[in-house]
Amino acid sequence: MGKLSTHVLDITKGKPGAGVKLALYAVDAAGNRKILKNEITNDDGRCDAPLLQGAEMLVGKYELVFAAGDYFAGQGVDLPSPRFVDEVVLAFGIADASQNYHVPLVVSPWAYSTYRGS
């Protein structure tokens, strides 16, 4: 069976984003979101367990929402108001629930990116 995982990389410091709050949502065909998990990244910028695995791992659309602005504010970064990067929403799909999907966030107060890992 596959699994879903994530991690956060703080490119302003070149280190893992520890203590970043995130939420995982399932998104139905009408665009309605259902919360599946709320997590906080550990010292390695990862969640302690997969976000989805086994019977939870289903084909479908999902969103990961990262509280990046709150993380940077907590790091003492001088941020504008409103914040340029605040909540980062990564919308993605799982097409094959038997595969591993790793959806990381590479982030600064001014930019972010992601990619599909395994």
Side-chain angles (χ1 to χ4, degrees), residues 4 23-36 52 56-65 89-97 101 103:
L4 172 65
L24 174 66
Y25 294 88
V27 182
D28 68 19
N32 300 308
R33 300 186 326 168
K34 176 185 174 189
I35 186 76
L36 299 178
L52 297 175
E56 297 175 316
M57 187 74 171
L58 301 173
V59 169
K61 292 183 178 182
Y62 296 88
E63 288 181 1
L64 276 168
V65 180
V89 179
L90 302 180
F92 62 97
I94 293 176
D96 183 346
Y101 285 76
V103 184

Side-chain angles (χ1 to χ4, degrees), residues 77-97:
V77 176
D78 186 22
L79 301 170
S81 181
R83 299 168 179 165
F84 182 72
V85 171
D86 194 16
E87 284 192 337
V88 175
V89 179
L90 302 180
F92 62 97
I94 293 176
D96 183 346

